[in-house]
C-alpha cells in the first residue's frame, strides 16, 4: 500500500504520509488503492471486538507496519480509555434509526476515536521516516479536535503540539477543556477570527519557507492532527464497520444488507471515512450529509458549485461552522479518476476566487452517492426536544442536525433503509443549548451548574471528563491575530 497526493504524483509509504501530515505542495495524502474486504472478511469482523476490528482494518492501510506495531497502536489507544471498554456503541431508536455514539472517550467527542490512536501511529511512523526529528503537531480546531489532540499528545516523548481555536467560536465547555490542558509540550492559543481563518493560517504555515528553515535548524518537523492527516482519517473508517457488525450481531440487520449513513458534517472527514468504508466493501446505499446554517456542502452536493463567498454563521453546533471543508478535496480526487492536475486546479480556483464548479458527470455521481440537507437553529432545538420526549434519548446539537436531515431524506425519498446516524459529541458539551430544548425553566448562568441541571432533568449523569474541569486551572490565555500565528509557534518552540 502506497500513498499519493491529491495535487501531484507521489509514491510514499503510510509511515511517510502520517509523519508528514500534508504533502509539500499542499495536497492531501490518499491511498493508491482501497483494501478490499470479501463477504467472508466482513463476516469474520462480526465476531470480533472493537480492538480486533481496528487491527484487521487498519492493517490493510498500514502495510509498512508489522502486526505487532499495529496491535501496539490499537491496544494503546483503546484499552482503558473509553466507557465500559466500548469505544463506539450503537443505540437503536425506533424506525430503523441507529445512533452511533462516538463520544465515550476522554474528551466526550468523536475525535477521540482517532486522536487516541494517532500519537501511537505518529511515533511509530516517525521512527521509520524521520527517526531523529522532533515532531511538532499543528492543529486548527472548531472545538473538539483541539482537546482530543491535546489529550492524545500531552507529554508524548519526541513531540510538541500547538492548537489554535477561534476566539468566541467554540462553546465555553470546549474552550475550558483546551485552556486547562496540562503538559510541558503543549501550547493553546485563540485567534481573532473564525475556524476557516485558523485552518487557512495553519495550512499556510505548513508551506512557509521561513518556517521550514526554522524547523530545520531545530531538527523539527511539522505534522498534523487534523483530519487532513491520513492517520486521523483511517481510524474513523473502523467505527462504521464496527457499527454495521454490531447491528448484524444484534439481529437488527442481516449480513449483506445495505444501510444508509448520516453524518453531521463540517470538514468532511467523518463522512469521507464512511465513503472509504464503502470503497472497501461496506454495503452503504446512501450517504446523508447533514449541515447546519452554514450549508455550503448542501449547496455544493445539490448544484456542483462550491462557493465560500457567503455569510459565516456562529451556531449552536460550532464544530460544523465551517466554509472550507478540507477533506472534500480527497473525494474530488477520487471522483476525477485520481487526477491530481484536475484536483489541484480546483483547489487553486478556490484559493484565488473562493469558488469552483465540478463537471456535470461529477455532479451526477455526487447525487447518486449523497443526499444533502441542512438544519437551522430552531429545528435543531425542536429535534432535541422531540427525541427526548418521544424516544427518551438526549442528544447534542450536532447529532440533532443529523437526525433532522435524516428524517427529511426519508420523508422526501421514501427510503426506509436502516440508517446509522453518527452522534459526534456528548450533549453535556453543549449543555446550554440542550437544556434550553428539554426544559422550560430558567437556565443557570454558571457552566457547571448547567451540567448539573441538565443531569437532573435528563436523569443522565454528567461525564467525568467534564465535571472534573471545575477544579482545573486555566493555563493557556493567549490570543493573537491570524497573521501572528507563525510568531506564536516560533516563540513556543524557542
Amino acid at each position: 500500500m502506497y500513498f499519493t497526493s491529491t495535487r501531484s504524483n507521489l509514491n510514499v509509504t503510510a509511515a511517510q504520509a502520517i509523519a508528514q501530515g500534508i504533502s509539500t505542495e499542499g495536497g492531501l495524502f490518499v491511498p493508491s488503492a482501497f483494501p478490499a474486504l470479501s463477504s467472508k472478511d466482513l463476516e469474520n469482523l462480526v465476531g470480533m471486538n472493537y480492538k480486533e476490528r481496528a487491527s484487521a482494518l487498519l492493517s490493510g492501510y498500514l502495510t509498512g507496519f508489522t502486526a505487532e506495531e499495529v496491535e501496539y497502536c490499537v491496544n494503546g489507544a483503546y484499552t482503558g480509555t473509553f466507557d465500559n471498554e466500548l469505544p463506539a456503541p450503537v443505540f437503536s431508536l425506533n424506525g430503523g434509526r441507529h445512533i452511533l455514539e462516538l463520544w465515550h472517550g476522554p474528551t466526550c467527542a468523536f475525535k477521540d476515536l482517532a486522536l487516541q490512536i494517532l500519537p501511537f501511529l505518529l511515533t511509530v511512523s516517525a521512527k521509520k521516516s524521520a527517526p531523529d526529528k522532533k515532531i511538532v503537531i499543528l492543529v486548527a480546531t472548531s472545538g473538539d479536535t483541539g482537546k482530543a489532540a491535546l489529550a492524545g499528545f500531552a507529554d508524548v516523548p519526541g513531540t510538541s503540539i500547538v492548537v489554535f481555536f477561534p476566539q468566541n467560536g467554540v462553546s465555553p465547555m470546549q474552550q475550558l477543556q483546551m485552556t486547562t490542558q496540562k503538559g510541558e509540550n503543549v501550547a493553546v492559543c485563540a485567534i481573532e477570527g473564525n475556524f476557516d481563518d485558523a485552518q487557512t493560517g495553519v495550512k499556510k504555515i505548513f508551506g512557509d519557507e521561513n518556517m521550514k528553515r526554522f524547523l530545520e535548524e531545530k531538527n523539527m518537523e511539522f505534522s498534523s492532527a487534523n483530519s487532513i492527516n491520513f492517520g486521523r482519517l483511517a481510524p474513523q473508517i473502523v467505527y462504521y464497520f464496527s457499527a454495521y457488525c454490531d447491528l448484524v450481531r444484534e439481529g437488527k440487520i442481516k449480513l449483506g444488507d445495505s444501510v444508509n449513513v448520516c453524518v453531521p458534517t463540517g470538514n468532511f472527514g467523518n463522512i469521507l471515512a464512511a465513503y472509504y468504508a464503502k470503497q472497501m466493501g461496506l454495503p452503504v446505499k446512501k450517504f446523508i450529509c447533514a449541515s447546519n446554517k452554514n450549508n455550503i456542502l448542501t449547496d455544493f452536493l445539490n448544484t456542483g458549485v462550491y462557493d465560500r463567498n457567503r455569510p459565516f454563521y456562529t451556531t449552536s453546533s460550532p464544530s460544523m461552522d465551517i466554509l472550507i471543508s478540507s477533506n472534500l478535496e480527497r473525494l474530488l480526487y477520487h471522483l476525477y479518476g485520481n487526477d491530481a492536475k484536475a484536483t489541484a486546479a480546483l483547489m487553486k480556483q478556490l484559493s484565488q476566487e473562493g469558488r469552483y464548479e465540478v463537471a456535470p458527470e461529477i455532479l451526477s455521481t455526487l447525487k447518486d452517492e449523497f443526499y444533502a440537507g441542512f438544519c437551522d437553529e430552531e429545528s435543531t432545538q425542536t429535534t432535541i426536544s422531540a427525541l427526548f420526549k418521544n424516544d427518551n434519548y438526549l442528544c447534542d446539537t450536532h447529532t440533532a442536525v443529523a437526525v433532522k436531515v435524516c428524517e427529511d431524506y426519508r420523508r422526501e425519498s421514501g427510503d426506509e433503509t436502516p440508517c446509522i446516524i453518527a452522534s459526534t459529541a456528548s450533549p453535556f458539551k453543549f449543555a446550554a443549548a440542550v437544556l434550553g430544548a428539554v426544559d422550560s425553566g430558567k437556565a443557570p448562568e454558571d457552566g457547571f451548574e448547567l451540567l448539573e441541571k441538565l443531569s437532573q432533568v435528563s436523569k443522565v449523569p454528567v461525564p467525568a471528563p467534564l465535571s472534573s474541569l471545575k477544579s482545573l486551572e486555566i493555563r493557556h490565555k493567549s490570543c493573537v491575530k491570524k497573521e501572528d500565528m507563525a510568531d506564536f509557534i516560533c516563540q513556543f518552540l524557542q
Side-chain angles (χ1 to χ4, degrees), residues 143 184 200 204 228 259 305 401 468:
E184 294 301 314
T200 300
K204 286 181 179 177
I228 56 176
V259 295
V305 176
V401 168
S468 64

Side-chain angles (χ1 to χ4, degrees), residues 392-412:
N392 195 30
Y393 188 80
L394 190 70
C395 79
D396 86 302
T397 48
H398 304 75
T399 306
V401 168
V403 170
K404 171 62 165 60
V405 174
C406 177
E407 291 171 352
D408 290 344
Y409 168 73
R410 287 184 153 200
R411 184 177 61 255
E412 293 173 18

Side-chain angles (χ1 to χ4, degrees), residues 155-178:
D155 291 326
V156 171
T159 70
S160 287
I161 178 168
V162 184
V163 171
F164 293 100
F165 68 92
Q167 185 185 35
N168 304 320
V170 300
S171 77
M173 196 57 64
Q174 288 174 316
Q175 182 165 332
L176 197 58
Q177 283 187 300
M178 289 186 281

Side-chain angles (χ1 to χ4, degrees), residues 340-363:
K341 286 186 177 180
T343 312
L346 290 173
M347 294 303 103
K348 183 178 180 181
Q349 191 176 359
L350 179 64
S351 176
Q352 293 178 347
E353 302 172 21
R355 72 185 304 278
Y356 60 79
E357 183 172 2
V358 299
E361 62 271 21
I362 302 299
L363 176 59

Side-chain angles (χ1 to χ4, degrees), residues 311-363:
F312 176 88
Y313 300 104
T314 299
T315 74
S316 61
S317 47
S319 296
M320 302 159 67
D321 292 347
I322 295 173
L323 294 182
I324 302 175
S325 301
S326 290
N327 275 288
L328 189 58
E329 179 174 342
R330 284 185 165 112
L331 178 65
L332 293 172
Y333 173 82
H334 297 304
L335 294 182
Y336 272 91
N338 300 346
D339 187 339
K341 286 186 177 180
T343 312
L346 290 173
M347 294 303 103
K348 183 178 180 181
Q349 191 176 359
L350 179 64
S351 176
Q352 293 178 347
E353 302 172 21
R355 72 185 304 278
Y356 60 79
E357 183 172 2
V358 299
E361 62 271 21
I362 302 299
L363 176 59

Side-chain angles (χ1 to χ4, degrees), residues 107-173:
T107 76
C108 305
F110 81 98
K111 311 295 175 73
D112 287 329
L113 275 295
L115 284 165
Q116 282 297 302
I117 193 172
L118 182 59
F120 294 94
L121 294 173
L122 191 57
T123 50
V124 172
S125 296
K127 288 178 182 177
K128 296 175 183 292
S129 65
D132 300 320
K133 289 189 175 182
K134 183 175 187 177
I135 303 297
V136 180
I137 311 299
L138 200 53
V139 178
T141 183
S142 57
D144 289 332
T145 292
K147 174 57 182 177
L150 289 164
F153 282 95
D155 291 326
V156 171
T159 70
S160 287
I161 178 168
V162 184
V163 171
F164 293 100
F165 68 92
Q167 185 185 35
N168 304 320
V170 300
S171 77
M173 196 57 64

Side-chain angles (χ1 to χ4, degrees), residues 6-33:
T6 53
R7 302 189 194 181
S8 63
N9 295 316
L10 298 176
N11 206 35
V12 303
T13 65
Q16 289 172 306
I18 292 170
Q20 194 172 328
I22 188 170
S23 184
T24 52
E25 83 295 331
L28 307 185
F29 288 114
V30 289
S32 55

